[in-house]
Amino acid sequence: MLRLPAFELAQPETIEAACALFAEHGERAMIVAGGTDLLPNLKHELYDIDVVIALAGIPALDDIEMQGHGLSIGAMTPLARVAASPDVRSHAPALAQAASLVAGPQHRTMGTLGGNVMLDTRCQWINQSHFWRQALGYCLKKDGSVCHVVEGGKKCVAAASNDSAPALMSLGAKLVFTTTDAERSLPIEDLWVSDGIYNKSSKPGEILTRIVVPLSDSRHRGAYGKLRDRGSIDFPLLGCAVRLDLDDEGIISDCDLVMVALQARPTRVKKIAESLNGVRIGTPEFEAAVEEVARRAHKQCKPLDNIPGDMDYRRRMIPVYVRRTLLAAAEGGGPVHHI
Amino acid sequence: MHVLTLRINGDCLKVAAPAHWTLLEVLRYELGLTGSKQGCDKGDCGACTVLVDGKPRLSCLVLGSLAEGYEITTIEGLMPAHLCAGGEGADPVQDAFDRCGALQCGFCQPGMMLSARALLNENPSPTRSEINQALSGNLCRCTGYTQILQAVESCVADAVGEDR
């Protein structure tokens, strides 16, 4: 039985009230969106906080709007709705596919897009009960001074495990953070830092309120691939998001490839993928170029032994998932998963 | 302590509980509704599944205070709701699980049946793949799932038969 530690629950009804509460309590407060990440982590006693601020009572954060400059998705929009939205599916297929593969059906009904972006990093040595962690002398991420993954390591390597993150990065999404007196728009790649303790540059007091995905035209192709043990519930053992922009003749004019569950921040390997530029999809040259991208991704990306699944197996699956996801994107298909 | 007003199985109940209690804890330890099971307590197993406004949710990850204002259905409310709607006996999902022997230890069964009920309310004739998907957030460690899937398919077959 895992019980939550005692805290006060605040239920603001406006964004302004939520920001004021967050500003007042600072590091002693955390935001709860759908609760599917925060509550298990609180039960594991991973945070020392006194106040939980729930955004569930703010209807303005739960919508998907088509705007002139993009698709604006409220941070509290449930993942199931993101996955099913015709607008998201047509303009950002990789995002819709990633949302459709997050955990299980109940998690997607409860969990939100904003919550998935702000998901805490994960590691087999931290996502455990306090009793379990105490027995091993804790670790760098919480209460301890050693890393059980990297011998002598001084930097936490807990893995970014959010399926939406690579999809949103491949799409060039921007995040809107709101505070009591300001609103700032941040390109999603600028959110991440390589520190498993807290892998984001956002500060206490800032609330993620909207996710804005630039509009794409009909020549956009995208897909998401997810490796996991089971066809449900699990966090990614590897996530792989692809964006292909085609010209009128089906030739790739730009592309992006972003992976997750390899290190503390989502891993962009756009340089590797750029060898696809100038290649026409559906040709033998395209298939050869995809093979080369998969080979180079395997060479560059090295998973760590800190999330479930054998580390060598996960590495061998990198070229498989890169290849399959690129081919699926080119065909307008996906998502890619083996179960 | 906070006094919560919860609508559970058609009843409006006032219950006192600390702010950090989950809906599951309120159900089990304040209201005595122990049909919702406390399994992993961290959102992995689905044994605590209840319906919130008709959608399956994990009551171990819903704060009790945040369940106010919603219609909550637990396994205890399934048969009364069926009777209220003019049905006879247990809910057809419960009946089918019984007929098909879709349980061994029974721990996953309340959550499994509520997920199945939510699916059938939304889609009265799901395919095997849609049933698999809808129940994929509920783990069973005994049956191997075969009889569970058969039970849901049996509900579909019965409903189709009734329509004819």
Side-chain angles (χ1 to χ4, degrees), chain A residues 5 21 55 69 94 108 141 180 198 292 295 320 326-327:
Chain A
L21 280 162
L55 302 185
H69 55 288
R108 292 192 292 276
K141 187 163 162 75
T180 45
Y198 186 68
E292 178 62 12
R295 192 189 63 76
V320 175
L326 280 167
L327 292 174

Side-chain angles (χ1 to χ4, degrees), chain B residues 6 12 17 25 42 47-48 71 89 92 102 122 124 143 149 155:
Chain B
L6 298 173
C12 189
E25 289 164 340
K42 55 193 178 77
C48 67
E71 188 63 55
E122 203 164 286
T143 65
L149 299 174
C155 283

Side-chain angles (χ1 to χ4, degrees), chain A residues 34-64:
Chain A
T36 54
D37 183 46
L38 184 79
L39 263 57
N41 289 349
L42 279 172
K43 289 180 178 190
H44 285 157
E45 299 180 40
L46 300 190
Y47 312 124
D48 300 318
I49 57 166
D50 306 315
V51 179
V52 169
I53 302 167
L55 302 185
I58 307 178
L61 296 180
D62 181 359
D63 64 350
I64 300 175

Side-chain angles (χ1 to χ4, degrees), chain B:
Chain B
M1 296 288 263
H2 295 251
V3 176
L4 311 178
T5 306
L6 298 173
R7 292 209 309 272
I8 297 174
N9 300 331
D11 294 327
C12 189
L13 305 171
K14 284 200 181 297
V15 53
H20 63 280
W21 273 35
T22 62
L23 174 60
L24 178 64
E25 289 164 340
V26 174
L27 290 172
R28 289 181 63 87
Y29 306 128
E30 286 296 333
L31 298 172
L33 296 171
T34 52
S36 307
K37 298 300 179 222
Q38 197 159 13
C40 67
D41 234 350
K42 55 193 178 77
D44 287 344
C45 72
C48 67
T49 299
V50 298
L51 303 187
V52 177
D53 281 355
K55 299 252 187 232
R57 292 192 179 217
L58 302 167
S59 61
C60 77
L61 298 185
V62 176
L63 291 172
S65 302
L66 298 182
E68 286 186 301
Y70 296 97
E71 188 63 55
I72 295 152
T73 307
T74 70
I75 193 65
E76 290 90 347
L78 211 51
M79 183 170 165
H82 177 62
L83 295 174
C84 270
E88 286 179 9
D91 185 282
V93 170
Q94 293 172 305
D95 192 41
F97 270 62
D98 181 22
R99 266 199 333 264
C100 296
L103 76 156
Q104 284 181 31
C105 81
F107 200 78
C108 72
Q109 208 183 3
M112 202 67 89
M113 290 195 289
L114 286 168
S115 287
R117 172 42 60 211
L119 167 70
L120 295 173
N121 286 347
E122 203 164 286
N123 176 6
S125 49
T127 61
R128 170 61 78 109
S129 155
E130 287 167 334
I131 298 169
N132 276 341
Q133 182 58 232
L135 300 187
S136 65
N138 295 81
L139 300 183
C140 173
R141 302 288 80 165
C142 314
T143 65
Y145 300 99
T146 305
Q147 292 99 322
I148 291 172
L149 299 174
Q150 282 170 352
V152 182
E153 285 182 329
S154 150
C155 283
V156 176
D158 290 348
V160 170
E162 278 170 20
D163 288 346
R164 285 179 189 155

Side-chain angles (χ1 to χ4, degrees), chain A residues 3-17:
Chain A
R3 307 297 293 263
L4 284 164
F7 54 73
E8 280 304 310
L9 178 67
Q11 299 182 66
E13 292 176 0
T14 63
I15 298 167
E16 294 75 23

Side-chain angles (χ1 to χ4, degrees), chain A residues 255-287:
Chain A
C255 60
D256 203 350
L257 177 61
V258 188
M259 284 187 274
V260 78
L262 293 171
Q263 54 184 44
R265 51 171 296 161
T267 312
R268 171 173 261 157
V269 287
K270 187 171 164 57
K271 281 267 180 289
I272 289 176
E274 277 171 353
S275 59
L276 293 167
N277 289 348
V279 178
R280 188 194 304 269
I281 60 167
T283 60
E285 292 75 33
F286 175 67
E287 284 180 23

